[in-house]
Amino acid sequence: FVSIVVTDNLVFAFGKEGRMKGKIWDLYAPIYSRAMRAEERSYAFLYRRIPKWVRAKEVLELATGPGVLAKRIAPVTERMLATDYSEGMIAEAKKGACPKNLRFEVADALSLPYADASFDAVIIVNALHLLPEPERALREIARVLRQDGILIAPNFVKKRERLVGRCWEAVLGLVGVRFEHQWTAGEYLAFFRDNGWEPLFYKEMQARMPFLYVECRRS
């Protein structure tokens, strides 16, 4: 259960090509929301910052998990669609109170079923490092974003001197969560630049596992 506590939105499922199976997230979905409360303070910055970008916009979230972030920010948007590969996570996200302009559905970030230029903003939190080919997700995001659209992509970053982070990473490995990429903050920013994105703002956040909050646009 520890993996749920420390992994906000680690909900991509992977198939035959070496990708993690979604069943692990379906299994954890019923207790994921409660477990995430331990990281509430760490993610407070996201809850304050992101609404400034998405106000009155059409927004897509990938890897929404149980929809905690989506339910926080949807009220300020024009329309928000929050997606996840895991059917179990989407089932959990649909429970409880939900803003009228927010919809949840199952979707694969590597093959999005949406038309080109459909959204003003795309959000993906702590998920790109799980993908063997995160560049594919960036290409799909670029496709569905409108001109001058914003990508908001906070993600765990590597800081080896933090014993707590190393311990949590080891625990995640024991339950089958594999980090395909372990970027430092600088490497994560370079990843975006190398794939045609320009970081506009970034801020390193301290949590059990440090993460870098990044806002960027296509170069």
Side-chain angles (χ1 to χ4, degrees):
F1 302 127
V2 179
S3 63
I4 306 170
V5 175
V6 298
T7 56
D8 184 11
N9 295 346
L10 298 185
V11 290
F12 278 109
F14 306 119
K16 293 182 179 180
E17 297 177 359
R19 297 184 295 166
M20 286 170 25
K21 295 181 179 179
K23 294 299 182 183
I24 186 173
W25 305 116
D26 292 343
L27 175 66
Y28 289 157
I31 62 173
Y32 193 98
S33 295
R34 294 192 298 273
M36 280 176 56
R37 293 172 188 165
E39 294 291 347
E40 185 76 10
R41 292 182 61 186
S42 301
Y43 289 91
F45 176 81
L46 278 66
Y47 302 146
R48 295 193 306 269
R49 176 82 183 184
I50 294 176
K52 298 177 182 179
W53 277 108
V54 301
R55 188 174 301 277
K57 301 295 179 70
E58 294 187 282
V59 181
L60 171 67
E61 185 186 12
L62 307 176
T64 190
V68 175
L69 176 63
K71 290 177 180 179
R72 289 287 192 103
I73 68 173
V76 306
T77 70
E78 174 68 24
R79 173 179 70 95
M80 184 165 184
L81 175 60
T83 69
D84 199 286
Y85 198 102
S86 165
E87 294 182 2
M89 286 295 184
I90 292 299
E92 288 299 311
K94 290 180 177 179
K95 295 179 180 179
C98 184
K100 293 182 179 179
N101 63 338
L102 172 61
R103 188 170 88 252
F104 291 103
E105 65 183 40
V106 176
D108 183 352
L110 301 182
S111 182
L112 295 171
Y114 311 119
D116 297 356
S118 297
F119 301 95
D120 301 301
V122 174
I123 302 167
I124 179 169
V125 180
N126 289 335
L128 286 171
H129 65 294
L130 296 177
L131 298 170
E133 297 179 277
E135 301 84 359
R136 290 178 59 189
L138 289 187
R139 289 195 293 270
E140 277 294 273
I141 291 168
R143 181 182 65 78
V144 301
L145 268 179
R146 292 175 179 139
Q147 188 174 8
D148 295 327
I150 186 79
L151 167 60
I152 301 172
N155 205 89
F156 294 135
V157 291
K158 181 172 60 177
K159 291 193 74 171
R160 288 299 183 186
E161 69 274 15
R162 287 180 58 87
L163 178 60
V164 173
R166 295 203 304 271
C167 291
W168 285 121
E169 184 179 325
V171 172
L172 292 174
L174 291 175
V175 297
V177 177
R178 177 183 175 184
F179 287 16
E180 296 288 345
H181 302 275
Q182 298 187 46
W183 295 294
T184 63
E187 289 168 345
Y188 189 52
L189 294 174
F191 161 71
F192 285 107
R193 295 188 178 106
D194 291 345
N195 286 278
W197 297 81
E198 183 59 36
L200 305 174
F201 174 85
Y202 51 89
K203 179 180 176 67
E204 190 164 338
M205 310 298 299
Q206 296 305 317
R208 284 178 177 151
M209 298 184 68
F211 64 94
L212 189 70
Y213 175 87
V214 180
E215 300 164 351
C216 52
R217 282 199 174 104
R218 283 169 289 177
S219 299

